[in-house]
Structures are given as C-alpha cells and as structure tokens.
C-alpha cells in the first residue's frame, strides 16, 4: 500500500515538500531553543537582583533597629516566603565580609534546598566566562549556579554579605514552555504546508491534466464538443490552446463548450478558514465572556458566559435551514462572501466589546456569518458531486473543519498568552476576511449538479419526527453528543483548567487533542462502523468511552484525567457520530423513500445543533450552583444514563423497539 502511494508523483512531491519543511522548521526551532538560553539568563539575573535587594532591605532594617548580626532570627522563614513565589531559588547565605585571609568570609546563616553545597559554590571559580558579558559585577555564574551578592550595611559600614543562588537549570522551565510552543507551531505549520501544497498542485496540475485528458478523449472519439477551459500559459496550456483551435475548426454540427474540472480542494481550505477564525479564541471564551457578564448586575458570570456561547450555537443552527432556502437566489459565492464579512465584523466587535450587551450583538452577528458560510460550503459540495462521490466530497469539507479544530485552539492559546484575548479575536477576524477575499478563486467553476442544500419542509419534518426510533436516537445519542461537546469540552474544560492555574496556552494544547484524536482515529473507526450490521452498538461504545473519560475526571480531578477525558471524547465521537448517520438512514427508510435523505439528515443536524446550543447554558447553570467539578459530575451521570438506556433498547429482546 505504501509503495503504491509512493508511485504517485503527486504524493512523492508532497512527501518531499513535507520533509523539506520539517527540516527547515526543525533547524529554526533548534536555533530558537539554544539562543533563548542566552536571552533568558539576563532575565533570570534581573529577577535574582530584585529578590536580593528585597532581602537586603529587610535585613538592614533589622540591623538598624539594634539587633546584633549574630542574633538575627527568621532567616529560614524569609527564605520560605521567597521560595513560595520563586521555585527557582536554591539557597540564601549571609556571611561576614571577605578579607585577605578569608576571601569567602565566615558563613553565619545558610538555608534553602541547596544550602549544603552553598559554601562550595561560593568558593568555586567562575564558570563559562562568556556568560558574564551581560551580567553586572555582583552576579557571577559558579558551578552552574547564578550567585547574586549584596553588601549588608549598618550606617556606612559593611557588616556582612548576602548571597542568593539560582541554578541555571531554572532556565529549563521557560525553555520547555518555549519548546512546547515551538512544537505546536511546527505541527500547525506542517499541516498548513500540506494544505497549501495540496491546493497548489490540485489547481495547477491535477485539474488541468484531468481536463486535458477529458478534452483529448472527446477529440479521439471525433465528437469535438469540449474545449480546454484553463488559461494557464505553461507547456500544457499552450498545447491545449492549439488543440482548442483544431477542435473549433473540426466542429461543424455542434458548438464546442469550454470545460473545466470541478474541484473540492478549495472548499476544504475555505471551511478551514472560517472555522479556524472562530476556534482561535476557544480556550479563553468562557473566562472572557464571564468578565463581561460580571458587568450585568444580578447575572451570575457562569450563566452569562454560557448564554453567550449557547446563543452563538443556536443562531448558527437556525441559519442553516434558512440559508438553504435563499441559496438558489444568492448563489454560493455571494452567500459565502456575505457570511465571511459578517463573521469578520462579529469577531472584530467581540474583541472590542465594552459591555455584555455589545457582546451579545457581536456574537449573534458572528453566528449568522458562521452558519451562512457553512451553508455555502455544503451547497458547493452538493453541486460539485454526484451520489457516487458525495461522501468523498463531504469528507473533504469535514477534513478542513477537523484541521481547524486542531490548529485553532493550539495557536489561539499561544496568542492569548502573549497578546491577550481581544487581539486574538481580531486575528480571527483577519482569517475570516482572508476567506472572503479567497472565495472567488477557491469556489469558482461551473457546477454540474444543481442540487441545493436539503430543505426542511413541514411535511418532511413531521414524517421524520413521527418515528419513535429516530426520536430515541436523537435524545439518547445525537443531542447528548453535542451537549457534551459544547458544554463539557468548550465550557467546563477551559473553565476548570484556568481556575486551577493552568496557562491559556496549555488549555489550547489540551483542547487541540480532541480534533487531533478524531482526525487520526476517524477513518479506521468509520470503516469498523461500516462493517457492523447494527451501527447502534458503535454509538453505544462511543457514548461509553465519553462517559468513562468524564467519570475519571469526576473521581480524580487533575490535568492528566482532563487530558484523558478529552481524548476519550474525541475517540468516542469519532466512533459514534458516523454511526448516528447510518442509524438515522436505516431507521427512516419510509421517510427517505418519500422525501429523500436530505430532510432526514438535515433534521438530525438541526436538532443536534440545537441540543449543542443548550450545552453551555446547562454547564454554566450547574457551575453557578455546584461549581465546575459538580457540573462535570452531573454531565457524567447524564452520559452513563443515555448509554445504559441505549444499550437496553438495543438488546436482542427489545428488537421491536430498538433504535437501530
């Protein structure tokens, strides 16, 4: 299989490009890591200098009150206070002034985790002289320890010397943080490089080649009905322009038409851009919205933040069927451009909002834009595919969405920690504006299949929802899945992590795991689901994985169990969501025969999105009354209840009422 993949020249070019980008970014990352050590040492020295002066002032004040140097008390407590705020502090030493006969002085007090080796460090020669070029004279590096000294004065006379030691290994902590950020940027850069290379190769090589083959095949059969429709001026373009001249001269009974291959790779990038714009600020949304909710008297901040997040999801859900109704009148290009512009304005306003009600307006506007662009992308897929390749076209669009779920929170967490939440929203607006500018190029082409997004008529809606098995699937599987995604992952996980002191960048990395796991595990799990005769069991297993992850977080709250719960959610939904679609189609055979698959799938998507919209409200209300951990426990109970009820209905003895 790998050999067959490598035989494709496009795949070989993609592999070569990926390896080249990886090597270049790895070299840049290594240079950044090694150079940051030189940059961080002066910063560590500034911190050590400030702490030493604080201790010096306190000790000199004690001496000025007449307390003898040999009877000072509280040195250990003073060290503990410093160590509580600076875990990098190694030792604190007070010694008599150095003399000709005693260059190190006599140690009077020493405390700290490195107190036993402090005397040896102070007596050691300077290490790495090049490190001292940017350090003041009273700071030296000895035995890989940065030693900061200050004289203790009584009046004008020096009576002792104060030393604080900070090991150079303290530089590893910020280096590791930088390394994590570099790793995230490296991963995102590789993914985006692949996307751009795929786009360039498809638009400039694959599609023109396929069109040329199609036109030449038409000429070989002496039909002369097709003309090569690309205007590129490369060798293939010049050749096919000559072929076009031959076709025009040979066509007698018919008028040849320009033809171009429809492409779906553009919709993948367009989906990525508008979802990425929204996902950038995902790690900080609950706390950012809560800060503005605090300006409303009598409104609990958790409930207020949940309302804002739910409002966005519910409006986007309502826009989907409405957008499908106006799709034919406006067209996909203008519909996407309008949506992208609205999303741009909404994200800009969100970052600049000064009050809660401003935030409500701008998030509603952003939701309208989000839903509109989604309808445009979905409609383009339907127009450009047939029933035979529609699943592949949908997968192309969903892959862009999952890629945004990976890249958005990860990069957004880094941005928020460095430039703040408001600016991150504005960067998201720039991404949305870029989508509006790129749509004419990426969504161009003549559609072969004039099929608009499915319309939810009242008749189709009623026939679908009269099926109690379909309703059981909705209320026990589809709605809870979106409830846990929006309420647990998007609301409770960031809220819990940030309240426990986790940085926003780390929150983004943890949220990224959901999309990464779903992207990696999705194809394999989907193939397993296709082989199952009763996909309801895949839905049940996926629900059980989700419930098990939340249960581990409920029983033992920690960063590791939070990561485990996010991973379980990603695997569980990658397994259950495709199975939900298969189950819905199986259950609604009579409705599909009468109205087609569109209304059934559209009804499923509409209701589950409305269910997802309630997630942040439920999570916010529970967090307001029980705290975040109590809310997680309630969500766990809901997950296990839905899982057990689905299992009971799917048992062989209950086949007549089984949801699948």
């Amino acid at each position: 299989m790998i050999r067959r993949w490598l035989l494709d020249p496009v795949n070989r070019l993609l592999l070569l490009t990926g390896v080249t980008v990886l090597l270049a970014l790895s070299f840049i990352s290594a240079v950044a890591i090694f150079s940051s050590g030189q940059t961080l040492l002066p910063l560590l020295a500034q911190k050590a200098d400030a702490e030493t002066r604080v201790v010096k002032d306190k000790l000199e004040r004690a001496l000025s009150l007449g307390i003898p140097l040999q009877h000072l008390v509280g040195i250990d407590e003073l060290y503990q206070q410093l160590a509580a705020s600076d875990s990098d502090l190694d030792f604190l030493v007070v010694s008599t002034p150095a003399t000709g006969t005693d260059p190190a002085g006599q140690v009077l007090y020493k405390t700290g985790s490195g107190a036993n080796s402090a005397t040896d460090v102070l007596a050691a020669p300077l290490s790495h002289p090049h490190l001292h070029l940017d350090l003041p004279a009273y700071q030296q590096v000895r035995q890989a320890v940065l030693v900061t000294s200050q004289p203790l004065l009584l009046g004008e006379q020096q009576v002792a010397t104060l030393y604080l030691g900070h090991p150079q290994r303290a530089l590893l902590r910020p280096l590791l943080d930088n390394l994590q950020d570099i790793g995230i940027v490296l991963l995102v850069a590789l993914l985006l490089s692949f996307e751009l290379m795929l786009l360039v190769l498809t638009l400039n090589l694959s599609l023109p080649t396929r069109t040329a083959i199609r036109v030449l095949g038409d000429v070989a059969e002496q039909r002369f009905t097709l003309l090569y429709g690309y205007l590129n001026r490369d060798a293939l373009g010049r050749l096919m322009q000559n072929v076009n001249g031959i076709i025009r001269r040979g066509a007698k009974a018919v008028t040849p038409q320009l033809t171009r291959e429809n492409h779906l790779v553009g919709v993948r990038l367009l989906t990525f851009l508008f979802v990425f714009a929204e996902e950038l600020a995902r790690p900080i949304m609950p706390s950012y919205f809560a800060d503005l909710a605090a300006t409303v008297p009598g409104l609990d901040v958790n409930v207020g933040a949940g309302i804002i997040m739910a409002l966005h999801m519910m409006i986007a859900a309502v826009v989907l069927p409405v957008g499908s109704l106006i799709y034919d009148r406006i067209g996909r290009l203008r519909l996407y451009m309008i949506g992208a512009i609205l999303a741009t304005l909404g994200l800009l306003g969100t970052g600049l909002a000064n009050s809660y009600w401003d935030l409500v307006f701008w998030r509603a506007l952003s939701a309208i834009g989000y839903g509109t662009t989604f309808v445009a992308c979905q409609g383009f897929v339907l127009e450009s595919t047939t029933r035979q390749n529609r699943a592949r076209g949908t997968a192309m669009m969903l892959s862009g969405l999952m890629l945004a779920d990976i890249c958005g929170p990860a990069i957004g967490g880094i941005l928020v920690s460095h430039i703040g939440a408001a600016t991150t929203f504005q960067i998201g607006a720039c991404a949305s504006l870029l989508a509006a500018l790129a749509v004419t190029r990426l969504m161009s082409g003549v559609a072969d299949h004039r099929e608009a997004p499915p319309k939810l008529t009242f008749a189709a809606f009623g026939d679908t929802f009269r099926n109690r098995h379909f309703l059981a699937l909705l209320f026990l599987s589809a709605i809870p899945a979106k409830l846990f995604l929006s309420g647990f992952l998007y609301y409770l996980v960031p809220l819990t992590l940030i309240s426990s002191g986790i940085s926003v960048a780390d929150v983004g990395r943890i949220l990224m795991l959901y999309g990464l796991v779903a992207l990696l595990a999705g194809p394999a799990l989907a193939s397993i689901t296709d082989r199952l005769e009763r996909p309801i069991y895949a839905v049940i297993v996926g629900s059980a994985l989700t419930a098990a992850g939340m249960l581990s977080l409920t029983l033992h709250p920690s960063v590791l169990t939070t990561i485990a719960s996010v991973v379980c959610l990603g695997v569980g939904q990658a397994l259950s969501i495709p199975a939900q679609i298969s189950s819905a189609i199986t259950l609604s055979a009579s409705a599909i025969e009468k109205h087609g698959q569109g209304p059934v799938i559209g009804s499923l998507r509409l209701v589950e999105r409305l269910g997802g919209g309630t997630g942040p409200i439920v999570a916010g209300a529970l967090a307001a009354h029980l705290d975040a951990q109590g809310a997680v426990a309630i969500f766990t109970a809901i997950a296990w209840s839905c899982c057990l009820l689905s299992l009971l209905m799917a048992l062989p003895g209950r086949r007549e009422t089984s949801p699948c």
Side-chain angles (χ1 to χ4, degrees):
M1 180 178 178
I2 297 178
R3 182 180 179 184
R4 189 187 312 159
W5 187 87
L6 289 174
L7 289 176
D8 190 331
V10 175
N11 292 338
R12 291 202 299 267
L13 182 57
L14 287 172
L15 179 62
L16 176 62
T17 303
V19 171
T20 303
V21 172
L22 179 62
L23 291 175
L25 291 175
S26 298
F27 175 75
I28 295 172
S29 301
V31 171
I33 291 172
F34 289 118
S35 63
S36 60
Q38 299 292 330
T39 304
L40 292 171
L41 181 60
L43 297 178
L44 177 63
Q46 292 177 12
K47 181 178 70 171
D49 185 21
E51 291 175 349
T52 306
R53 294 184 184 277
V54 169
V55 177
K56 168 185 166 68
D57 292 341
K58 291 185 177 181
L59 294 180
E60 287 183 344
R61 178 173 176 78
L63 293 174
S64 67
L65 295 176
I67 301 175
L69 181 62
Q70 291 77 10
H71 295 87
L72 289 175
V73 294
I75 300 293
D76 290 338
E77 290 77 4
L78 184 57
Y79 170 82
Q80 294 298 332
Q81 292 176 5
L82 285 176
S85 59
D86 180 12
S87 58
D88 299 328
L89 184 59
D90 195 34
F91 62 77
L92 185 156
V93 172
V94 177
S95 67
T96 59
T99 62
T101 57
D102 189 6
Q106 179 184 357
V107 175
L108 301 175
Y109 306 97
K110 63 177 180 179
T111 184
S113 56
N116 294 333
S117 60
T119 304
D120 296 334
V121 171
L122 295 177
L126 299 180
S127 57
H128 306 293
H130 65 281
L131 294 177
H132 298 78
L133 297 177
D134 298 325
L135 297 179
Y138 53 85
Q139 290 184 313
Q140 302 92 27
V141 178
R142 303 176 185 272
Q143 290 188 355
V145 176
L146 175 65
V147 179
T148 305
S149 62
Q150 285 291 337
L152 295 180
L153 304 177
L154 182 57
E156 299 295 331
Q157 180 183 2
Q158 179 178 354
V159 296
T161 304
L162 169 66
Y163 299 97
L164 259 63
H166 291 77
Q168 274 191 281
R169 66 174 180 272
L171 300 177
L172 290 177
R173 183 168 51 80
L175 279 177
L176 290 176
D177 292 340
N178 291 342
L179 182 61
Q180 291 177 349
D181 289 346
I182 289 172
I184 293 297
V185 172
L186 177 62
L187 173 63
V188 173
L190 284 174
L191 292 173
L192 294 183
S193 298
F194 174 79
E195 291 299 315
L196 292 176
M197 182 56 63
L198 180 64
L199 178 67
V200 170
L201 288 177
T202 301
L203 294 182
N204 296 286
L205 180 62
S206 298
L207 297 181
T209 302
R210 291 176 191 170
T211 304
I213 293 173
R214 184 179 175 188
V215 171
L216 291 175
D218 187 74
V219 172
E221 296 178 3
Q222 298 183 356
R223 288 198 297 262
F224 303 101
T225 58
L226 299 178
L227 294 173
Y228 183 78
Y230 291 92
L231 301 178
N232 47 327
R233 300 183 180 277
D234 54 10
L236 178 62
R238 292 193 298 270
L239 172 64
M240 292 309 298
Q241 292 305 319
N242 293 331
V243 173
N244 282 350
I246 296 174
I247 293 173
R248 289 190 178 95
R249 290 192 296 271
K252 298 178 181 178
V254 296
T255 301
Q257 302 293 324
L258 290 173
T259 183
R260 299 175 67 176
E261 287 287 318
N262 290 325
H263 63 84
L264 290 174
V265 68
V267 80
R268 176 170 171 157
L269 186 58
L270 289 173
T271 304
F272 169 81
L273 285 174
F274 78 79
V275 177
F276 177 79
E278 183 65 30
E279 293 295 318
L280 265 179
R282 181 68 65 187
I284 201 65
M285 279 185 182
S287 57
Y288 181 79
F289 297 161
D291 290 341
L292 288 174
T295 62
V296 180
L299 178 64
D300 183 86
V301 293
N302 291 309
V303 175
I307 290 174
I308 292 295
M309 297 181 68
L311 176 72
H312 184 276
M313 295 179 183
M314 288 185 173
I315 290 179
V318 173
V319 167
L320 293 180
V322 175
S324 67
L325 295 175
I326 62 174
Y327 181 89
D328 289 330
R329 297 180 182 179
I330 297 180
R332 61 180 186 272
L333 284 174
R334 283 188 292 177
L335 190 64
Y336 187 97
M337 188 173 295
I338 291 171
I341 292 174
L342 291 177
T344 300
L345 296 175
L347 290 168
L348 277 175
T350 301
L352 299 174
N354 295 319
S355 69
Y356 184 77
W357 303 114
D358 288 345
L359 186 63
V360 168
F361 173 78
W362 293 117
R363 292 305 291 161
L365 189 65
S366 178
I368 295 173
Y370 184 94
T372 304
T373 51
F374 193 93
V375 170
C377 289
Q378 179 180 272
F380 181 56
V381 171
L382 291 173
E383 288 186 7
S384 304
T385 58
T386 63
R387 294 188 182 275
Q388 288 71 33
N389 65 347
R390 186 151 297 157
R392 178 175 172 270
T394 303
M396 181 75 72
M397 176 180 169
L398 293 179
S399 63
L401 189 149
M402 288 189 291
L403 184 65
D405 284 339
I406 296 171
C407 299
I411 293 297
I414 297 173
L415 291 175
V416 169
S417 61
H418 287 85
I419 61 177
T423 309
T424 303
F425 276 109
Q426 293 165 16
I427 293 177
C430 293
S432 183
L433 181 61
L434 178 62
L437 297 176
V439 64
T440 54
R441 170 63 174 162
L442 299 179
M443 204 180 274
S444 60
V446 179
D448 294 333
H449 313 282
R450 293 300 304 173
E451 182 178 342
K455 298 180 175 61
L456 297 181
T457 63
F458 287 107
F461 196 85
D463 289 344
T464 300
F465 281 87
R466 275 193 289 267
N467 187 335
R468 67 179 185 275
H469 300 155
F470 182 76
L471 290 177
L473 179 71
L474 282 182
F475 285 99
L476 296 179
S477 301
I479 293 176
K482 293 300 181 181
L483 181 78
F484 301 144
L485 179 65
S486 60
F488 174 72
L489 181 67
Y490 291 160
Y491 189 93
L492 292 176
V493 169
L495 184 66
T496 304
L497 291 174
I498 291 177
S499 62
S500 64
I502 302 299
S503 68
V504 178
D506 287 335
V507 174
R509 297 182 191 111
I510 293 174
L511 293 181
M512 176 195 72
L513 294 176
Y514 170 81
L516 184 61
V517 169
L519 181 64
L520 295 177
L525 295 176
S527 64
I528 294 174
T529 302
D530 289 338
R531 291 196 294 269
L532 292 175
E533 294 183 1
R534 302 190 72 208
I536 188 61
Y537 289 124
V539 175
I540 294 171
V541 173
S543 300
L545 284 172
T546 300
M550 289 193 288
L551 179 62
S552 67
L553 181 59
T554 303
L555 297 177
H556 183 66
S558 68
V559 176
L560 290 179
T561 53
T562 303
I563 293 174
S565 64
V566 172
V567 171
C568 287
L569 180 66
V571 176
Q573 297 218 347
L575 178 62
S576 64
I577 289 178
Q580 290 173 12
I581 298 175
S582 300
S583 300
I585 292 174
T586 302
L587 291 171
S588 306
S590 59
I592 290 175
E593 183 179 355
K594 186 176 181 180
H595 303 285
Q597 287 189 10
V600 173
I601 302 302
S603 299
L604 175 67
R605 293 303 187 205
L606 173 62
V607 174
E608 71 177 5
R609 281 189 172 89
L610 292 175
T614 63
I617 295 179
V618 174
L622 292 174
H625 292 85
L626 302 175
D627 72 31
Q629 197 58 40
V632 173
I634 298 297
F635 269 64
T636 303
I638 294 174
W640 280 114
S641 299
C642 293
C643 181
L644 292 176
L645 287 173
S646 297
L647 180 60
L648 288 175
M649 297 187 70
L651 291 175
R654 301 294 302 275
R655 284 188 187 276
E656 69 276 5
T657 57
S658 173
C660 199

